[in-house]
Amino acid sequence: MSRLVKGLRSFSSTASSLLADTTATTSARQPKSFLVFRDVPQLRQLRRKLLQNERTVGFVPTMGALHEGHLSLIREAARENTDIFVSIYVNPTQFGVNEDLSSYPRTWDSDVEKLEKINDELARVQAEGSGPATGRITAIFAPTSKVMYPTLPPSSEIDGQGSFVTITPLSTKLEGGSRPVFFRGVATVCMKLFNATTPDRVYFGQKDVQQTVIIKRMVQDFHIGTEVRVISTSRESDGLALSSRNVYLGDRRRAVGLTIYRALKAAEESYLAGKTSRADILGAARAITEQVLSQQNALSPSERALFEVDYISLADPETLEELDVVEPTRGGVLSAALKMAPLEETNAGENCGLGDGKVAVRLIDNMILQPRC
Amino acid sequence: MSRLVKGLRSFSSTASSLLADTTATTSARQPKSFLVFRDVPQLRQLRRKLLQNERTVGFVPTMGALHEGHLSLIREAARENTDIFVSIYVNPTQFGVNEDLSSYPRTWDSDVEKLEKINDELARVQAEGSGPATGRITAIFAPTSKVMYPTLPPSSEIDGQGSFVTITPLSTKLEGGSRPVFFRGVATVCMKLFNATTPDRVYFGQKDVQQTVIIKRMVQDFHIGTEVRVISTSRESDGLALSSRNVYLGDRRRAVGLTIYRALKAAEESYLAGKTSRADILGAARAITEQVLSQQNALSPSERALFEVDYISLADPETLEELDVVEPTRGGVLSAALKMAPLEETNAGENCGLGDGKVAVRLIDNMILQPRC
C-alpha cells in the first residue's frame, strides 16, 4: 500500500515525464490522457521506467468493443495499481476457421473515447476525494497481427503451424468442446501480452470462467510473475451478462437470450437451498430452458427466437471435470452456452440488432457455487 | 556499459546485502559464494532487488553434469552481466518415454564445486586486473519437479496432458524427427525458467543448434524480454564436441565417435572451397562416415565400435528447412546425429566408459556455414 501511495503522490510529475520521452505510434483517433503503442519495444521501455519508479501496472486485455464489463475491470485495476495498461487486439488464433472473426465488432474510436472518459472519471474521483486514490490508464497496446505473430501467419487450424501454448485437458472441456482451437489461441495470445506488458496484476471477467481457470493454470504452471484477478460479471438490470456480442441480438433474441441467466440462476438457487446432486441442480436449469423452448416453438416464425443449448455444466472449480455431486467444501462452477439461431422472419421496424438478426449469436454465462463452509 | 560498471562497482557491498536478507533453501553441498534456490518466490525476490539496483542478470540453464562447455557460457555471461543465475534441472518432459532420463548423469556435488571454482576464477581475474570487469554467479536455481510442474505430473507422452509450449514446424525437424517430444519439453521448461529468472540475457551453446533456433523463435514469437546469446561449441583438442553424455563413450567409441566432427568438417571445407550444392557438401560428409563404417565393420567385435548415422543435414539457419543449394548470402546449418551402438565385446582392462559400454550414446554436432557476403 505504501508503494501505491508513493507512486500516486508523484503521479502528475512522474507520469508525464515518463511518457514525455517515450515515442509511441498513434492511431486514427488521438487520445489525450494515454499513449497508444503498436509495437513492443517502446511499451517495454515505458514498463521498465515504471518499474524503476516503483509504480505498479494492472493489465486489462481486451478485444475492443468495450462495454461496462471492461470498464469494471479497469476500475478495479485503478484501485490496485498506479498505472493501467489496456490492450485492444482481436486475436485471430482463438477464432475457429468457421467462427465469427470477420464479424467481431471493431470499434476503435468509441473504445478510445470510453477509455478517455474513464480516465477523466478516475481523476475526478480522486480530485474530489470521493473515493480511494486510484491509478490511471497510462498505455493502450493495440498491436498489429504482424507484431503479435511475427514469424508465421496466425493459424486457426487444429493442426496449424506456429508457436503455441496449450493447456490440456482444461482447454478441451466446456467451451473447448465446440471450439477446439479457442483456448490454445487465448493462452498463446495472453502469454505474448503478459510478456509484452509484464503486469503486476492482470484482470479478467468472471463471465469467461473457463478462461480464468486456464489463465490461472498457465500463470501457475509457467511461473508467470503476475497476479490473476477475477472480477464479477457485469450484468444488465435483468441479469443478462454483458458481452461484446450482444449488439447482434436485437430485442426479440435478447429477451429470449435471458433464458441462459434464468436457467443458471434456478440451478444456483437449488444449490443454495441445499441440493448437491447434479440431477437436482442441473435439472432446475433444464426445466427453464425446456419450458422457454417449447413456448417459442409454439409461436410463429415472425414472433419467435429459437436457440440450441450447447451445454449446461456443473464442474469442479479448478479441474473443470464434470461433477456428479458438489462437494460443499469445494463448491463448483455452473456454466452454460446457448446458441441463438438467426431470426427466421423479421418484422418491419423491428430492432433486430447489428446484422439484421441474420447472425447466430452464441451466449455464455456462469455462476460460481461458493463452498458452504 | 555504464550500467554494468555501476553495478560492478557496488558489487561487494550491494550483492552481500541483497543476499543477506534473502532466504534460500540449501542443498546437500553448501556453497559459499552463491545461494541455492529450490523454489521460485525467493528467487523472484532477489531478482526484483537486483533490478531495482540496476544490476543485470545473465542466465545459464543447464541439466547439471557441468563441463567446460557450460563454464564457457558462464564466462561469457560474466563478461556481459553483473549477476549470473545458473539453473540445474534435469527436465523430464524432454526425454522420450524410452530415452535416457534415468541414466542421465546427476552430479550435484561436483557441479557446485565447479561453480564455486569459476566464481573464484572470476574474482581473481577481476582482482588481478588481468581481464575485464566481470559478474559473478549469484544464484543457483535447482528446483524440484513439483516446483517446475506444479499441477499435473510432467508427461513425456506425445499426447500427454499438461501445460506446454509448442514451436512447430521447427520442432519436428532434425532432432525432432527421432525425438518427437524433445523440443516441446525444451521450450516448455525454458519458458518456465525464463519466467522464474527474467534474465536480461540467456546463454546457450551452439552445440545444440536446433535448440538455439527454437529458443530464438520462442523469444521472438512470445515477446520474451531477454536476449538470446549463442556461444561457440567447446571442443576437445581433436575436435570432439563436449557433451555430458561423453562419459558413457569409453576410449574405443570416443575414437570412432570423432567421425561426426570429421564428417561435418569435411562438409564445411567443401562449402569454404566454394561448393554450394547439397550433393557436393553432404557428399563430403558421407564419404567420411561410410569410410569409417566400412573400416569398423572389417574389424572383430572386440575391436570395433559400430554406429548408425541418424541424419546429416544441410538446412536453412532460421527455418531449418533442408536446402538443395546454399544461398551464399544466407548461409546454412550443417548438422548431424550419430548413434554409437553398445560395444559388442569388451576386453579386460579396457576403459569402456560409465555403464561399461552397454549404453548406446547419441552424439550430435553442427557447424554454421556463414554467409559469404
Side-chain angles (χ1 to χ4, degrees):
Chain A
M1 193 59 197
S2 65
R3 171 178 296 174
L4 179 67
V5 172
K6 183 178 170 193
L8 283 169
R9 244 179 239 141
S10 56
F11 184 90
S12 51
S13 58
T14 318
S16 53
S17 69
L18 288 181
L19 298 178
D21 60 341
T22 302
T23 316
T25 314
T26 53
S27 182
R29 193 180 195 289
Q30 181 86 35
K32 293 178 206 100
S33 65
F34 45 76
L35 289 170
V36 176
F37 295 84
R38 295 218 164 264
D39 206 345
V40 178
Q42 290 101 349
L43 180 65
R44 188 165 276 153
Q45 205 180 319
L46 170 63
R47 180 65 184 98
R48 186 171 263 263
K49 286 181 193 162
L50 292 172
L51 195 66
Q52 286 162 350
N53 284 274
E54 300 197 36
R55 299 172 70 93
T56 56
V57 170
F59 175 49
V60 181
T62 84
M63 299 209 298
L66 301 179
H67 53 62
E68 197 51 37
H70 299 107
L71 302 186
S72 74
L73 301 184
I74 293 171
R75 284 193 194 93
E76 189 62 28
R79 271 192 279 278
E80 302 182 326
N81 306 274
T82 61
D83 294 80
I84 306 163
F85 288 3
V86 177
S87 67
I88 296 181
Y89 177 62
V90 180
N91 172 38
T93 63
Q94 72 192 61
F95 289 82
V97 176
N98 298 315
E99 289 176 19
D100 59 350
L101 171 62
S102 61
S103 70
Y104 197 88
R106 285 164 176 83
T107 54
W108 175 260
D109 283 353
S110 82
D111 289 344
V112 168
E113 199 179 324
K114 282 173 186 161
L115 296 173
E116 292 203 85
K117 271 194 187 146
I118 200 163
N119 252 2
D120 289 346
E121 174 196 312
L122 294 169
R124 203 168 51 239
V125 165
Q126 194 178 336
E128 289 169 356
S130 58
T134 59
R136 295 308 139 70
I137 301 168
T138 308
I140 305 303
F141 182 44
T144 60
S145 274
K146 187 61 192 169
V147 163
M148 290 307 278
Y149 296 88
T151 57
L152 295 180
S155 172
S156 290
E157 307 277 345
I158 291 173
D159 295 325
Q161 306 286 358
S163 299
F164 292 116
V165 176
T166 56
I167 311 280
T168 60
L170 283 178
S171 63
T172 62
K173 305 196 178 290
L174 302 172
E175 289 294 290
S178 55
R179 307 183 70 184
V181 302
F182 181 58
F183 290 109
R184 181 184 70 181
V186 168
T188 299
V189 79
C190 282
M191 183 70 91
K192 292 171 192 252
L193 290 169
F194 293 179
N195 285 334
T197 58
T198 60
D200 295 283
R201 296 170 196 86
V202 62
Y203 295 80
F204 287 94
Q206 177 62 50
K207 173 162 171 280
D208 299 301
V209 63
Q210 189 172 6
Q211 175 171 274
T212 68
V213 172
I214 287 174
I215 295 297
K216 279 183 186 170
R217 176 69 67 91
M218 180 174 88
V219 164
Q220 183 181 10
D221 277 348
F222 285 106
H223 293 297
I224 299 172
T226 193
E227 188 188 339
V228 180
R229 305 277 288 114
V230 178
I231 310 305
S232 322
T233 304
S234 294
R235 298 181 181 281
E236 307 276 7
S237 57
D238 62 359
L240 186 74
L242 299 194
S243 165
S244 301
R245 290 187 173 88
N246 289 356
V247 295
Y248 293 103
L249 285 173
D251 294 341
R252 203 194 316 172
R253 294 195 294 177
R254 193 204 165 296
V256 175
L258 187 62
T259 306
I260 190 169
Y261 172 75
R262 291 180 50 221
L264 291 173
K265 199 74 192 161
E268 183 195 38
E269 276 159 17
S270 150
Y271 173 74
L272 293 175
K275 306 287 190 191
T276 57
S277 81
R278 179 180 190 85
D280 285 336
I281 294 172
L282 293 192
R286 290 228 177 76
I288 304 275
T289 57
E290 280 160 21
Q291 182 201 26
V292 172
L293 205 48
S294 76
Q295 283 167 351
Q296 292 297 309
N297 270 313
L299 298 173
S300 75
S302 66
E303 295 172 305
R304 70 191 177 192
L306 299 180
F307 61 87
E308 279 171 34
V309 175
D310 226 19
Y311 61 81
I312 305 183
S313 157
L314 173 60
D316 180 87
E318 277 178 36
T319 67
L320 300 181
E321 302 282 351
E322 291 299 320
L323 296 176
D324 286 329
V325 176
V326 181
E327 173 90 56
T329 56
R330 200 168 159 81
V333 177
L334 271 172
S335 64
L338 184 153
K339 194 169 180 178
M340 300 301 305
L343 293 175
E344 297 155 286
E345 283 180 24
T346 60
N347 305 297
E350 185 181 6
N351 166 19
C352 300
L354 201 61
D356 294 327
K358 288 175 187 137
V359 186
V361 184
R362 200 159 172 285
L363 300 175
I364 63 171
D365 201 350
N366 69 84
M367 284 172 200
I368 305 295
L369 302 182
Q370 299 294 347
R372 283 214 178 98
C373 18
Chain B
M1 194 59 196
S2 65
R3 170 179 297 175
L4 179 65
V5 172
K6 184 176 170 194
L8 284 169
R9 243 180 241 140
S10 56
F11 185 90
S12 52
S13 58
T14 319
S16 54
S17 70
L18 288 180
L19 299 178
D21 61 340
T22 303
T23 316
T25 317
T26 51
S27 183
R29 195 182 194 286
Q30 181 86 35
K32 294 178 206 99
S33 65
F34 44 77
L35 289 169
V36 176
F37 295 85
R38 295 217 162 264
D39 206 345
V40 179
Q42 290 100 349
L43 181 65
R44 187 165 277 153
Q45 206 180 319
L46 170 64
R47 180 65 184 98
R48 185 169 263 264
K49 287 181 193 163
L50 291 172
L51 196 64
Q52 285 163 350
N53 285 275
E54 300 197 35
R55 299 171 69 93
T56 56
V57 169
F59 175 49
V60 181
T62 84
M63 299 209 297
L66 302 180
H67 53 63
E68 197 51 37
H70 299 106
L71 302 186
S72 75
L73 302 183
I74 293 171
R75 285 192 193 95
E76 189 61 29
R79 271 192 280 278
E80 301 181 327
N81 307 273
T82 61
D83 293 80
I84 306 164
F85 288 3
V86 177
S87 67
I88 296 181
Y89 177 63
V90 180
N91 172 38
T93 64
Q94 72 193 62
F95 289 82
V97 177
N98 299 314
E99 289 176 18
D100 59 350
L101 171 61
S102 61
S103 69
Y104 197 88
R106 286 166 175 83
T107 54
W108 175 259
D109 283 352
S110 83
D111 288 344
V112 168
E113 200 179 322
K114 282 173 186 162
L115 295 173
E116 292 204 83
K117 272 194 187 146
I118 199 162
N119 252 2
D120 289 346
E121 173 196 311
L122 293 169
R124 203 168 53 239
V125 165
Q126 194 178 334
E128 289 170 356
S130 58
T134 59
R136 292 313 135 69
I137 300 168
T138 309
I140 305 303
F141 182 44
T144 60
S145 274
K146 186 63 191 168
V147 162
M148 291 307 278
Y149 295 89
T151 58
L152 296 180
S155 173
S156 289
E157 307 278 345
I158 291 174
D159 295 326
Q161 305 287 356
S163 300
F164 291 116
V165 176
T166 56
I167 311 281
T168 61
L170 283 177
S171 63
T172 63
K173 306 196 178 289
L174 302 173
E175 288 295 290
S178 55
R179 307 183 71 185
V181 303
F182 181 57
F183 290 110
R184 181 184 69 182
V186 168
T188 297
V189 80
C190 283
M191 182 70 91
K192 292 170 191 252
L193 291 169
F194 293 0
N195 285 334
T197 57
T198 60
D200 295 283
R201 296 170 196 86
V202 62
Y203 295 79
F204 288 94
Q206 177 62 50
K207 172 161 173 279
D208 299 302
V209 63
Q210 188 173 4
Q211 175 170 275
T212 68
V213 172
I214 286 174
I215 295 296
K216 279 183 185 170
R217 175 70 66 91
M218 180 174 90
V219 164
Q220 182 181 11
D221 278 348
F222 286 105
H223 293 297
I224 299 172
T226 193
E227 186 188 341
V228 180
R229 305 276 289 112
V230 178
I231 310 305
S232 325
T233 304
S234 293
R235 299 181 181 281
E236 306 276 7
S237 57
D238 61 0
L240 187 74
L242 299 195
S243 165
S244 301
R245 289 186 173 88
N246 289 357
V247 294
Y248 293 103
L249 285 173
D251 295 341
R252 204 194 316 170
R253 293 195 295 177
R254 194 207 165 294
V256 175
L258 187 62
T259 306
I260 191 169
Y261 172 75
R262 291 180 50 220
L264 290 172
K265 200 75 192 159
E268 183 195 39
E269 275 159 17
S270 151
Y271 172 73
L272 294 174
K275 306 288 190 189
T276 57
S277 81
R278 180 180 190 83
D280 285 338
I281 294 172
L282 293 192
R286 290 227 178 76
I288 304 275
T289 57
E290 281 160 21
Q291 182 202 26
V292 174
L293 204 48
S294 76
Q295 283 167 351
Q296 291 297 309
N297 270 313
L299 297 173
S300 75
S302 66
E303 295 172 305
R304 71 192 176 191
L306 299 180
F307 62 86
E308 279 172 34
V309 175
D310 226 19
Y311 61 80
I312 305 182
S313 157
L314 174 60
D316 180 87
E318 278 178 36
T319 67
L320 299 182
E321 302 281 353
E322 291 297 320
L323 297 176
D324 286 328
V325 176
V326 180
E327 173 88 56
T329 57
R330 200 166 159 82
V333 177
L334 271 171
S335 65
L338 185 152
K339 194 169 180 178
M340 298 302 303
L343 293 176
E344 298 155 285
E345 283 179 24
T346 61
N347 305 299
E350 184 180 5
N351 167 19
C352 300
L354 202 61
D356 294 326
K358 288 175 187 138
V359 186
V361 184
R362 200 159 170 285
L363 301 175
I364 63 171
D365 201 350
N366 69 84
M367 284 170 201
I368 306 295
L369 302 182
Q370 300 294 347
R372 283 211 179 102
C373 17

